[in-house]
Amino acid sequence: MKYAVRLAYDGAAFSGWQAQGHGLGVQQAVEEALEAIHGVSVPVSAAGRTDAGVHARGQVVSFEVPRSWEPEMLRRALDARMPQSVRALGVSPVSPDFDARHSARWREYVYFLWAAPATYPHLHALTWWIHQPWDWEVVRQACALLPGTHDFSAFCRSADRPERTLRTIFSARLARRGSLWWFRVRGNAFLTNMVRILVGSLAEVGRGRRPVAWFASLLEGHSRVMAGMTAPPQGLFLWNVGYGDGGEKLLWEKEESPIV
């Protein structure tokens, strides 16, 4: 039987999604839990790979297991065997040809920033604390340039740059509640470090170091050195992954309601 599981995890507890030679990868924690349950190795496919320190609210993985399960029972079995820093939020049976990565219609990331002279210590692991004032209106102008298909080669870690760097962004917006700001972006796929480099480049615009025209030029395809810094990992969340709209409908998708 094949299943998809929606996961949330605290990225600070892991060396990234993939199993690593050093530290614990989220993938390893999930696969070890599945092996403990079924007595056989169960490889998983993930919708997206997150870096060390990056969190997930809506990561999706798929896998085949040798027996059928009532979804809630499998969810509880996984939670009982995974570290508390990773939780299964929902389980859905899927068709044999479903794959969490290749069947995804879109992925959505949210990056949180705390913009104030002082911050709460509890937020250090979940936000990027912005000390200097930003011009948020010009940041919004830069965000408005993102929807559409662009060459994002300037927004990819050089060592992981693929041959094809065109990606389509469906929506990108900046929002706030008090001192908490968040950048929310949805696209068909993302390059390595793409969202973090986007935020680092938006920081250059917000701080007045670069004009919006510079940000626009980066979308035409440039080398990584032309863009801004890679923003810290702790502010980034893999927020949601979509499979509906003509694709396979997962059980939790009909229950989805936005938090931000």
Side-chain angles (χ1 to χ4, degrees), residues 59-132:
Q59 172 73 281
V60 178
V61 300
S62 58
F63 50 85
E64 289 188 62
V65 291
R67 55 162 289 192
S68 62
W69 285 85
E70 192 278 322
E72 178 60 14
M73 292 298 293
L74 178 54
R75 190 197 66 77
R76 292 181 182 180
L78 279 167
D79 268 3
R81 292 164 177 83
M82 292 189 299
Q84 290 191 1
S85 48
V86 54
R87 297 287 86 180
L89 302 181
V91 174
S92 179
V94 292
S95 60
D97 61 348
F98 177 88
D99 181 270
R101 178 185 176 190
H102 299 294
S103 301
R105 300 301 181 94
W106 50 262
R107 296 154 178 85
E108 186 172 65
Y109 287 85
V110 177
Y111 194 100
F112 289 96
L113 308 102
W114 183 262
T119 187
Y120 298 96
H122 323 82
L123 297 179
H124 285 312
L126 301 172
T127 63
W128 181 15
W129 179 22
I130 303 300
H131 300 262
Q132 307 93 343

Side-chain angles (χ1 to χ4, degrees), residues 74-206:
L74 178 54
R75 190 197 66 77
R76 292 181 182 180
L78 279 167
D79 268 3
R81 292 164 177 83
M82 292 189 299
Q84 290 191 1
S85 48
V86 54
R87 297 287 86 180
L89 302 181
V91 174
S92 179
V94 292
S95 60
D97 61 348
F98 177 88
D99 181 270
R101 178 185 176 190
H102 299 294
S103 301
R105 300 301 181 94
W106 50 262
R107 296 154 178 85
E108 186 172 65
Y109 287 85
V110 177
Y111 194 100
F112 289 96
L113 308 102
W114 183 262
T119 187
Y120 298 96
H122 323 82
L123 297 179
H124 285 312
L126 301 172
T127 63
W128 181 15
W129 179 22
I130 303 300
H131 300 262
Q132 307 93 343
W134 286 18
D135 185 336
W136 294 100
E137 182 52 39
V138 296
V139 175
R140 288 186 194 277
Q141 294 172 22
C143 288
L145 299 171
L146 288 170
T149 300
H150 308 285
D151 185 343
F152 286 95
S153 54
F155 301 96
C156 179
R157 185 166 59 194
S158 299
D160 298 302
R161 178 178 171 177
E163 182 176 346
R164 186 176 182 276
T165 51
L166 291 177
R167 296 293 185 270
T168 300
I169 298 301
F170 302 129
S171 63
R173 67 183 182 92
L174 190 68
R176 72 173 294 191
R177 183 171 297 169
S179 297
L180 181 66
W181 289 80
W182 59 89
F183 169 61
R184 186 169 189 156
V185 58
R186 178 181 292 191
N188 64 338
F190 292 83
L191 301 169
T192 303
N193 282 170
M194 180 171 153
V195 179
R196 291 170 61 194
I197 299 172
L198 281 170
V199 173
S201 299
L202 291 172
E204 292 292 300
V205 175

Side-chain angles (χ1 to χ4, degrees), residues 9-16 23-26 29 51-55 83-86 125:
Y9 49 83
D10 177 358
F14 299 97
S15 61
L24 177 66
V26 184
D51 299 326
V54 174
H55 313 291
Q84 290 191 1
S85 48
V86 54

